[in-house]
Amino acid sequence: MDLRGYTKLSKEILLSRIEDVRRKKKLVILAHNYQRSEIQRTADFRGDSLDLARKATEVDAEIIVFCGVVFMAETAKILNPQKKVLIPDSNAGCALADTITSEELKEAKRKYDNPVVVSYINTYASVKAESDICCTSANAVKVIDSIPKNKKILFTPDRNLGRYVSKASNRELILWDGFCYVHDYLTEGDVEEAKREHPSAKLCCHPECREEVVAHADLVTSTNGMVRYAKEVDELIIGTEIGLGERINIDFGKKVYPLNTNAVCATMKLITLDKLCWSIENEKYEIRLDDEIISNAREPLEKMLQIV
Ligand code: 13P
Ligand code: SF4
């Protein structure tokens, strides 16, 4: 049956077929915190980029199915080259990762006379392969702090995360001018409106948000950091992609308020139950990377994992 056939199956049938494959194959389903509720509920593990990268190295499975975006599935492949890594929709890109290519990075390295390159995990494998160390939103400050003070650092590709980390670590960084349209779209006006509507709620936001938003936050953290914070507080406004609200609802049965209900990552939502079922039954789409890229991209990722 081709993918179109799966779209006609009911949710119950899809779930039972997924369970069936799970019993027959040694596979693990990982889902990012922004995934649709039904995908997060079906996954073996939910988490942020750092958590899932670590999980990918720990699981005893022959097949890793990554419900997230392509750079995340690539990261799982780089860290587990001997395993089959699948993504249910190969068009699930990341607009932020698209803001830098390996050629552009090579050019910048020449321009700035070989700085230490710190690349956010939201980059494609070929960009990681040209980087010295990776970071995620959960460990970016620690990664910067690990680099000797006399070194010049080029931080790619998110300018908002870069600016936030530069302040937090009190370090001047050369910033790539990339941004995530979902987070950069959030404004101070959204903060004012949300606080008017929910005056007792705390505000947490992702460091990919603009400075004017971050300035009002009670906590700036990764998506997993927000999940932990949600457990502690009664009411929470989340300055990030709305799917995180699903994760918090699944874990604690708590309702949180999105800073803006339009904060939707379109490519995260490309992963649906019918595609997941099709993917695990047909073992598609397989992430395939060049051996040299894997070996060069692995180094900056492993350096990051050693630091945290
Ligand atoms: P986290 O690592 O905090 O989950 O963020 C990933 C991401 O893509 C944010 O837009
Ligand atoms: Fe990329 Fe932004 Fe989507 Fe995160 S929310 S995956 S940074 S486009």
Side-chain angles (χ1 to χ4, degrees), residues 32 34 48-49 72 120 122 137 183 206 208 222-223:
H32 186 263
Y34 293 160
D48 66 4
S49 309
M72 295 177 177
Y120 191 25
N122 295 40
S137 55
H183 290 88
H206 199 277
E208 286 175 22
S222 74
T223 56

Side-chain angles (χ1 to χ4, degrees), residues 181-195:
Y181 73 100
V182 180
H183 290 88
D184 200 67
Y185 170 80
L186 301 170
T187 63
E188 197 169 25
D190 293 329
V191 174
E192 284 161 7
E193 203 177 314
K195 289 206 165 193

